[in-house]
Amino acid sequence: MSVTSRYKDAWEGFWSEASDEPGAVFWDAEPALTAGIHLALYEPHVTDAELTLVDLGCGNGTQTHFLADRFPDVLGVDLSAAAIELAGRRDKAGEARFREMDAVDGAAMSQLHAELGDANVYMRGVLHQCDPEDRQGLADTIATLVGERGRAFVVELSEAAGQKLMGLAQSPAGPPPKLQPVFRHGIVPGAVADAQLVEFFRTAGLDVLASGELPLTTTEYAADGSRVELPSKWLVIGRNG
């Protein structure tokens, strides 16, 4: 299985136009408000921190660079060649590696696992943006990558976030500026039912080791000057034994 050309083209167009200025992309919040908070929830469940950490759907690499300061080997993977190019340009110190790959291409992901061995995985806000027919394949990919020893941290928008996004999109003034390119390129965040999120990974043969809720911070601001935050659900998943 691989993603549709429509989906790949949409992301290629989005990242080709995206500015490399920090915070220019709607979800590209600073790591202190994103991956830094997630690590506090994730690290207690990581049983082998020496495994390669795969940042799945790494985009422009903002969170990947942060993770590379905390794990010995980090690989950022993204569908978009433009995103990988941008991430590489930002990686001045060469601390992380980046690779263009289709995360729902089962054969390619099996080959990556054969190359890396079991891996830890970080994935933020990717599943809900996938076409519905690709979501189980993405969960299967995480199961392949973690193998027996790895652990994955997954955070996805909750059902309530979809309602909030639609409210922003339909405001009298139109969508906020940083949200406009997302819709213009046809990357409309889809609603994944909260219960379905867990089911994808259980179907893939993984156990939910921890879970919870927290706001997902964006780089956009509301009319009152407050930071736009979206409700999200997080999971730590792996195999219990």
Side-chain angles (χ1 to χ4, degrees):
M1 177 190 290
S2 62
V3 299
T4 63
S5 60
R6 180 210 62 80
Y7 182 72
K8 181 177 174 62
D9 291 346
W11 278 110
E12 201 63 41
F14 176 86
W15 283 116
S16 294
E17 292 182 10
S19 168
D20 61 0
E21 290 296 317
V25 174
F26 180 71
W27 54 80
D28 195 31
E30 54 268 41
L33 300 177
T34 47
I37 294 172
H38 299 153
L39 282 186
L41 302 167
Y42 178 42
E43 286 182 317
H45 300 278
V46 174
T47 56
D48 190 345
E50 297 301 311
L51 300 179
T52 298
L53 177 69
V54 178
D55 183 5
L56 205 57
C58 66
N60 62 7
T62 297
Q63 311 306 319
T64 323
H65 298 141
F66 174 85
L67 294 166
D69 285 336
R70 287 150 182 83
F71 290 85
D73 184 37
V74 175
L75 173 66
V77 170
D78 201 275
L79 173 71
S80 166
I84 292 299
E85 181 182 355
L86 184 55
R89 290 205 309 266
R90 285 177 150 201
D91 190 29
K92 306 297 185 185
E95 295 177 330
R97 297 177 290 143
F98 296 95
R99 193 177 302 182
E100 177 192 350
M101 297 189 78
D102 178 351
V104 297
D105 184 335
M109 291 298 109
S110 293
Q111 185 175 349
L112 182 61
H113 179 260
E115 174 190 334
L116 301 177
D118 290 354
N120 294 315
V121 174
Y122 176 77
M123 187 175 79
R124 179 177 69 107
V126 177
L127 193 71
H128 77 272
Q129 295 173 344
C130 288
D131 288 338
E133 61 269 26
D134 289 327
R135 290 173 184 158
Q136 185 60 58
L138 185 57
D140 293 344
T141 281
I142 292 179
T144 296
L145 292 176
V146 299
E148 298 299 324
R149 296 183 295 149
R151 296 287 184 265
F153 184 88
V154 173
V155 59
E156 292 292 336
L157 297 184
S158 66
E159 292 178 62
Q163 300 167 6
K164 188 167 184 177
L165 280 168
M166 290 308 298
L168 290 171
Q170 295 171 358
S171 69
K178 293 178 184 177
L179 195 54
Q180 291 174 13
V182 178
F183 291 118
R184 186 170 69 251
H185 287 283
I187 307 168
V188 181
V192 176
D194 294 343
Q196 192 178 22
L197 176 62
V198 172
E199 193 57 34
F200 283 131
F201 295 106
R202 286 184 173 154
T203 298
L206 296 172
D207 302 304
V208 176
L209 308 177
S211 63
E213 301 179 5
L214 78 171
L216 194 64
T217 303
T218 76
T219 62
E220 191 58 273
Y221 291 84
D224 62 4
S226 62
R227 184 84 73 120
V228 173
E229 296 180 333
L230 300 172
S232 73
K233 293 192 171 289
W234 61 268
L235 306 173
V236 179
I237 49 181
R239 289 184 171 90
N240 268 325

